């Protein structure tokens, strides 16, 4: 039934490329490019067409088919599939290129390095060692035509047509009959002299010497040319001379040849060969060895071939992260190798790993990702950023490690253009408000202000109107001088986003107050910004028709073009303050903003000069007024009380324009107006925290970006006189306020805001220490104090 016959070539799962066959090596095989029908993956197909009268060549081809199918070694051409019919033989291998074509292309591209050649020759010698020492086989065809190169630049030994057993049980070496191949035979095979007594590897090692000569000097014209090493590297010449020596017994074993070349100063003793050897055995290495290897790998990648990095290093890095728990150490080499990938490959191989890394709780990995975000941000699409990356990045704003908080702020410069409306205008602004108001590290507050100025153009019009002026105004009142500079620069960088009314009524008065700042850098930037805003106002005043043009960006939905202007105004802070941040964090890991050695804000007229802060003590402070050692606290408060009558504190109305309302953190958020008046004397005072206490309690960002409200006068005291005891002194007395306190006063009770009663010591505040009520230091109270 002939009509049931099937064509095996047509049903073969691989197909030959329509391109003409490559200029393959001399011999019975013709090399074609091909692909797998199911997946389209590239392969190489060696084709032998059976011809009448060529039975000997056919037997050689079939023997090569069998050898290649049964031999498995990383340095021998990898067999994938095969087809044997009466008319042809098809052998499918990994996609490779003949070594001669590969070297020619590399030389023309100007990228061939000795590192590549050293590793390639190492692989061929290792394959010969496997055949001779482990399999007792003689290759009998080592030459340029028998070596192929895969896409990773790995050299593979092929050309197994004339292989035979070294034990002699399979007969002698087959006849080649091809002059191009016979020129590589050693001289002892050409005559019948006694020199034929040799080691089993002698002939292959002679041919290896011919291969080395051709790699560095080109095609071998004749055997006599081997006497001149030519361009063979000096470190390899002594070992090369051993290979092409006339005495076959002197030629070393392949394993011994490798050992000689790997000796210190040898041709194969370099970082590239060591890296490849480690990657071949990485699965059996200890975790500590892997960590050290990946840490040092990124330094060497720049000198490695691009194909090697893409096709050999990258898969190992991905495997190490996925299954080896390598952690953050793979990030630096991973992103460095990613530069060699096209956009499609990057999306397929790198981005899934990056997205998975962002969900990790490992701090080292998170900070590495944030530091190197600029290397992969362009490959991230907006849905991925908003749904899979930003929710994890937000946790960095709340991290207790200042370095992570700072890097999270900086990363917003890259993420902001890809954030949606809710994440950018609501979630991000909440975190920025909290950082600018409450973060204890001055440089982080500064960078928050700078980042806001740079991304301000991406905000919606309503958010810009509500946020920018208040945020930059708050920054100008920061005790950290660079933060004040950043606030001024923020105004200047976003100058086109304010109406003329805002410029005249809100921004310029604030900038004018900074012209007397104690820090010269703040004053200089303030004068520059004032001149800029005044020139705008003056131009509109001269020609009112320009108002619409000047305010065209005020109500625009977004104006990404402003990013460049912001960068030119405030680019210094993100890059320059980074090192300052690390120094401050190392020197003062728990220092509050007011504890830095920066100049204090100018003291308003009518208020005394602030007292110098006390010497550092071992006790710690907190936002809720945790107690210190009682004797130290008493001494400090007594000193303050002794100076009370010597200083003119002015009135509350005079302080309204310069003092920010301060919540009493020690009493659950109730306002302590006495603390407001004397806040410049308190070294632990956090002037930026008070305005945001209500926002944090409510959890609403709308309340976070409000204009600082003026200080209101203290409420009228409605308590009964019997509820507190002034020790027999009227508040208006001008005598010694402590004269009546020489004897221990009678303990009385005052009402509490929660309806409880607490003991009240005349002339003193009280606190609970060790479960008992004790008086604090003597402290003067003004009339109506709570």
């Amino acid at each position: 039934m002939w009509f049931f016959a099937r064509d095996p070539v047509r049903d073969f799962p691989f197909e030959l490329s329509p391109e003409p066959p490559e200029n393959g090596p001399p011999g019975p095989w013709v090399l074609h490019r091909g692909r797998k029908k199911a997946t389209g993956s590239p392969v190489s197909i060696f084709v032998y067409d059976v011809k009448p009268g060529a039975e000997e060549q056919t037997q050689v081809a079939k023997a090569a088919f069998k050898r290649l199918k049964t031999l498995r070694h990383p340095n021998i051409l990898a067999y994938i599939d095969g087809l044997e019919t009466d008319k042809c033989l098809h052998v499918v291998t990994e996609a490779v290129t003949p070594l001669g074509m590969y070297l020619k292309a590399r030389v023309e591209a100007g990228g061939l390095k000795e590192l590549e050649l050293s590793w390639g020759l190492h692989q061929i010698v290792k394959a010969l060692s496997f055949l001779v020492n482990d399999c007792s086989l003689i290759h009998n065809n080592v030459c340029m035509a028998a070596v192929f190169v895969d896409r990773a630049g790995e050299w593979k030994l092929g050309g197994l047509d004339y292989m035979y057993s070294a034990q002699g049980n399979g007969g002698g070496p087959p006849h080649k009959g091809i002059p191009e191949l016979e020129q590589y035979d050693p001289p002892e095979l050409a005559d019948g002299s006694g020199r034929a007594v040799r080691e089993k590897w002698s002939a292959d090692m002679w041919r290896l010497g011919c291969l080395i000569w051709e790699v560095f000097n080109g095609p071998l014209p004749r055997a006599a040319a081997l006497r001149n090493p030519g361009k063979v590297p000096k470190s390899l010449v002594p070992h090369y001379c051993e290979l092409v020596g006339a005495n076959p017994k002197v030629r070393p074993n392949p394993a011994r040849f490798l050992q000689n070349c790997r000796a210190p100063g040898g041709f194969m003793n370099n970082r590239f060969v060591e890296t490849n050897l480690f990657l071949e055995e990485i699965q059996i290495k200890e975790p500590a060895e892997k960590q050290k290897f990946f840490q040092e790998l990124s330094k060497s990648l720049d000198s490695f071939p691009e194909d090697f990095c893409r096709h050999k290093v990258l898969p190992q890095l991905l495997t190490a992260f996925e299954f080896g728990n390598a952690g953050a150490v793979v990030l630096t080499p991973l992103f460095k190798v990613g530069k060699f990938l096209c956009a499609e490959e990057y999306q397929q191989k790198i981005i899934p790993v990056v997205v998975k890394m962002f969900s990790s709780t490992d701090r080292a990995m998170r900070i590495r990702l944030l530091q190197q975000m600029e290397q992969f941000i362009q490959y991230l699409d907006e849905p991925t950023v908003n749904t899979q990356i930003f929710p994890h990045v937000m946790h960095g704003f709340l991290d207790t490690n200042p370095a992570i908080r700072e890097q999270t702020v900086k990363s917003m410069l890259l993420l902001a253009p890809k954030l949606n409306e809710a994440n950018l205008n609501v979630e991000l602004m909440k975190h920025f408000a909290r950082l600018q108001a409450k973060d204890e590290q001055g440089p982080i507050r500064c960078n928050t202000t700078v980042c806001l100025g740079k991304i301000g153009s991406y905000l919606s019009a309503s958010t810009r109107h509500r946020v920018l002026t208040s945020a930059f105004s708050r920054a100008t009142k920061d005790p950290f001088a660079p933060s004040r500079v950043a606030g001024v620069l923020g105004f200047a960088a976003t100058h086109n986003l304010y109406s003329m009314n805002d410029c005249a009524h809100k921004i310029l008065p604030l900038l004018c107050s900074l012209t007397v700042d104690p820090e010269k850098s703040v004053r200089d930037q303030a004068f520059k910004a004032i001149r800029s805003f005044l020139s705008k106002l003056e131009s509109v005043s001269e020609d009112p028709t320009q108002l619409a043009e000047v305010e065209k960006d005020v109500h625009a939905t977004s104006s990404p073009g402003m990013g460049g202007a912001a960068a030119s105004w405030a680019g210094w802070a993100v890059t320059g303050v980074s090192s300052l941040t690390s120094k401050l964090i190392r020197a003062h890991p728990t220092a509050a903003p007011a504890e830095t050695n920066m100049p204090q804000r100018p003291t308003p007229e009518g208020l005394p000069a602030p007292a110098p802060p006390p010497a550092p003590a071992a006790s710690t402070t907190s936002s809720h007024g945790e107690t210190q050692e009682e004797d130290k606290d008493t001494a400090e408060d007594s000193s303050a009380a002794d100076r009370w009558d010597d200083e003119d504190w002015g009135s509350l109305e005079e302080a309204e324009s310069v003092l920010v309302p301060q919540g009493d953190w020690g009493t659950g958020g109730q306002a302590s107006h006495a603390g407001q008046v004397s806040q410049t004397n308190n070294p632990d005072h956090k002037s930026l925290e008070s305005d945001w206490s209500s926002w944090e309690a409510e959890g609403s960002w709308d309340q976070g970006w409000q204009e600082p409200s003026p200080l209101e006068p203290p409420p009228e005291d409605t308590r009964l006189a019997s509820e507190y005891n002034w020790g027999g002194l009227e508040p208006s007395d001008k005598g010694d306020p402590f004269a009546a306190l020489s004897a221990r006063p009678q303990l009385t009770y005052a009402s509490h805001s929660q309806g409880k009663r607490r003991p009240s010591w005349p002339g003193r505040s009280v606190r609970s220490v060790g479960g008992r009520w004790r008086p604090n230091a003597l402290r003067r109270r003004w009339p109506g104090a709570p």
Side-chain angles (χ1 to χ4, degrees):
M1 301 297 291
W2 60 268
F3 50 85
F4 289 108
R6 301 173 60 183
D7 185 0
V9 177
R10 181 179 301 176
D11 294 337
F12 194 52
F14 298 88
E15 62 180 1
L16 274 65
S17 172
E19 301 176 3
E22 299 179 359
N23 295 326
W29 298 94
V30 179
L31 177 59
H32 294 260
R33 292 181 180 177
R35 68 180 185 89
K36 190 173 183 178
K37 295 179 180 179
T39 62
S41 56
V43 295
S44 290
I45 303 178
F46 292 83
V47 178
Y48 172 76
D49 293 325
V50 178
K51 298 178 182 179
E55 288 77 8
E56 185 177 357
Q57 286 292 338
T58 302
Q59 293 301 321
V60 169
K62 290 183 177 180
F65 190 127
K66 181 180 179 180
R67 294 288 189 187
L68 190 62
K69 188 175 182 179
T70 55
L71 284 175
R72 295 290 182 177
H73 190 269
N75 304 128
I76 294 179
L77 195 60
Y79 173 89
I80 296 178
D81 201 351
L83 173 67
E84 182 177 355
T85 67
D86 296 337
K87 296 181 179 180
C88 65
L89 294 176
H90 286 192
V91 178
V92 182
T93 68
E94 56 185 323
V96 292
T97 303
L99 178 60
M101 296 179 59
Y102 175 81
L103 295 179
K104 182 180 179 181
R106 295 289 289 170
V107 169
E108 292 176 352
L112 187 61
K113 301 178 181 179
E114 285 192 5
L115 291 177
E116 301 177 61
L117 300 179
S118 66
W119 174 241
L121 292 174
H122 185 285
Q123 292 176 294
I124 299 303
V125 178
K126 198 170 182 180
L128 286 177
S129 178
F130 167 73
L131 293 176
V132 171
N133 298 317
D134 298 336
C135 304
S136 294
L137 295 173
I138 304 301
H139 187 275
N140 197 33
N141 191 30
V142 179
C143 61
M144 185 82 75
V147 180
F148 302 88
V149 184
D150 66 5
R151 61 177 184 173
E154 303 280 276
W155 291 18
K156 307 286 185 175
L157 182 60
L160 308 183
D161 307 65
Y162 309 103
M163 182 179 293
Y164 66 96
S165 174
Q167 298 175 353
N169 52 9
H175 177 65
K176 297 180 182 178
I178 302 176
E180 292 87 345
L181 300 179
E182 290 180 346
Q183 69 172 341
Y184 299 107
D185 291 340
E188 61 267 17
L189 295 182
D191 55 27
S193 62
R195 291 184 300 173
V197 179
R198 61 189 184 275
E199 302 291 347
K200 59 182 179 181
W201 58 79
S202 298
D204 278 347
M205 297 309 288
W206 169 276
R207 297 183 181 99
L208 176 64
C210 298
L211 173 63
I212 293 175
W213 195 94
E214 287 191 317
V215 165
F216 292 98
N217 298 290
L220 180 65
R222 58 189 180 277
L226 296 174
R227 298 175 182 176
N228 182 14
K231 298 179 182 178
V232 176
K234 293 183 179 180
S235 59
L236 186 57
V237 168
H239 312 296
Y240 161 78
C241 293
E242 292 180 353
L243 298 178
V244 295
N247 188 355
K249 299 190 67 173
V250 178
R251 297 169 197 159
N253 185 287
R256 180 60 182 270
F257 179 81
L258 276 182
Q259 183 178 356
N260 295 338
C261 292
R262 289 280 295 143
F267 179 68
M268 299 180 184
N269 183 22
N270 55 62
R271 178 62 181 168
F272 187 56
V273 173
E274 292 174 358
T275 300
N276 279 278
L277 293 176
F278 189 94
L279 290 175
E280 289 183 351
E281 302 174 350
I282 193 172
Q283 304 300 333
I284 60 175
K285 296 293 184 180
E286 295 294 332
E289 294 178 308
K290 295 180 183 179
Q291 292 281 332
K292 182 180 179 181
F293 171 77
F294 287 126
Q295 288 174 355
E296 299 175 353
L297 178 61
S298 59
K299 303 176 183 177
S300 307
L301 287 177
D302 294 332
S303 61
F304 290 172
E306 179 179 331
D307 291 338
F308 168 78
C309 295
R310 292 173 54 193
H311 301 295
K312 188 168 184 179
V313 175
L314 180 59
Q316 293 291 350
L317 292 174
L318 298 178
T319 302
F321 171 76
E322 191 74 20
F323 305 106
N325 298 324
V329 293
V330 304
L331 287 179
T332 300
L334 180 66
F335 293 137
K336 186 168 285 189
V337 174
K339 297 178 181 178
F340 301 128
L341 303 180
C342 63
E344 184 179 356
E345 287 180 310
Y346 205 103
Q347 288 284 352
Q348 294 176 354
K349 298 179 179 180
I350 306 292
I351 293 303
V353 176
V354 170
V355 173
K356 185 176 181 179
M357 286 179 176
F358 270 106
S359 61
S360 173
T361 57
D362 182 8
R363 279 181 167 176
M365 180 174 294
R366 288 164 55 193
I367 198 168
R368 291 278 184 88
L369 284 170
L370 296 175
Q371 290 172 342
Q372 304 187 44
M373 184 176 290
E374 61 182 355
Q375 299 189 28
F376 58 84
I377 186 64
Q378 66 268 26
Y379 301 104
L380 296 174
D381 54 19
E382 294 186 7
T384 302
V385 171
N386 286 280
T387 60
Q388 302 183 55
I389 292 181
F390 184 72
H392 297 295
V393 174
M394 281 197 308
H395 297 308
F397 292 120
L398 305 174
D399 201 282
T400 57
N401 190 330
I404 293 182
R405 296 201 304 272
E406 182 187 30
Q407 289 298 333
T408 305
V409 171
K410 292 181 182 180
S411 67
M412 293 302 108
L413 296 176
L414 303 171
L415 290 178
K418 297 179 180 288
L419 294 180
N420 57 27
E421 181 78 13
N423 287 336
L424 178 62
N425 294 285
V426 180
E427 296 298 331
L428 182 57
M429 293 301 103
K430 285 182 180 180
H431 291 289
F432 271 20
R434 187 189 57 79
L435 285 177
Q436 194 191 40
K438 293 182 176 296
D439 199 286
E440 63 181 8
Q441 299 294 337
I444 295 180
R445 301 194 304 272
C446 173
N447 281 340
T448 302
T449 303
V450 171
C451 185
L452 182 61
K454 288 190 172 186
I455 69 173
S457 58
Y458 299 105
L459 302 175
S460 64
S462 59
T463 303
R464 292 199 302 263
H465 178 73
R466 184 170 60 251
V467 168
L468 294 184
T469 304
S470 297
F472 296 144
S473 299
R474 182 176 309 283
T476 60
K477 298 177 177 64
D478 197 296
F480 189 61
S483 292
R484 302 199 296 274
V485 175
V488 177
L489 294 176
F491 277 125
T494 56
H495 64 91
N496 64 325
L497 303 179
Y498 308 108
S499 65
M500 292 297 99
N501 285 333
D502 287 344
C503 294
H505 296 115
K506 296 181 180 180
I507 299 176
L508 277 175
L510 183 65
L511 294 176
C512 289
S513 65
L514 296 175
T515 57
V516 293
D517 192 277
E519 191 70 26
K520 188 176 186 303
S521 60
V522 179
R523 300 195 300 269
D524 292 343
Q525 295 298 336
F527 282 118
K528 290 180 182 179
I530 288 172
R531 286 192 291 267
S532 174
F533 281 102
L534 284 178
S535 64
K536 289 183 61 175
L537 292 172
E538 186 176 0
S539 63
V540 173
S541 176
E542 294 293 336
D543 186 6
T545 59
Q546 296 182 6
L547 180 62
E549 177 66 19
V550 173
E551 295 185 350
K552 65 178 181 179
D553 295 330
V554 174
H555 302 291
T557 55
S558 65
S559 52
M562 275 302 299
S568 63
W569 271 93
W572 62 270
V574 169
T575 57
V577 180
S578 178
S579 59
L580 179 59
T581 304
S582 59
K583 291 179 182 178
L584 290 177
I585 291 171
R586 288 194 298 266
H588 307 286
T590 58
E595 294 174 345
T596 60
N597 295 328
M598 299 304 300
Q600 296 294 327
R601 302 288 291 126
T603 304
E605 185 178 357
L607 291 181
S619 57
T620 57
T621 59
S622 68
S623 59
H624 297 281
E626 295 177 357
T627 61
Q628 303 178 352
E629 297 177 9
E630 184 172 354
D631 54 349
K632 182 176 180 67
D633 187 61
T634 305
E636 291 177 359
D637 290 345
S638 299
S639 176
D642 293 339
R643 296 191 300 270
W644 184 273
D645 288 337
D646 298 332
E647 298 173 345
D648 182 12
W649 290 98
S651 64
L652 291 177
E653 288 76 10
E654 293 175 347
E656 286 178 7
S657 61
V658 294
L659 295 180
V660 181
Q662 169 68 15
D664 187 358
W665 295 87
T667 58
Q670 295 179 351
S672 174
H673 297 281
Q676 293 169 354
V677 176
S678 59
Q679 61 182 340
T680 55
N681 281 342
N682 184 5
D684 294 331
H685 171 67
K686 296 180 175 60
S687 61
L688 293 178
E689 294 184 354
S690 56
D691 280 349
W692 301 90
S693 58
S694 60
W695 168 81
E696 187 182 42
E698 297 294 334
S700 169
W701 74 276
D702 259 342
Q703 301 179 7
W705 294 104
Q706 294 176 355
E707 293 286 351
S709 57
L711 192 66
E712 299 179 359
E716 182 179 358
D717 188 17
T718 57
R719 293 181 297 175
L720 299 177
S722 60
E723 290 185 315
Y724 57 88
N725 188 353
W726 288 96
L729 291 178
E730 292 297 329
S732 59
D733 288 350
K734 299 300 181 181
D736 183 4
F738 307 108
L741 300 178
S742 56
R744 180 165 181 169
Q746 180 67 31
L747 181 66
T748 60
Y749 287 85
S751 61
H752 194 265
S753 57
Q754 281 77 14
K756 301 178 182 179
R757 293 174 62 81
R758 61 176 176 82
S760 174
W761 225 284
R764 309 184 187 186
S765 59
V766 296
R767 64 178 179 179
S768 177
V769 178
R772 296 183 300 169
W773 291 99
R774 294 186 178 180
N776 275 339
L778 299 177
R779 184 175 296 165
R780 172 72 178 267
R781 297 172 181 255
W782 72 65

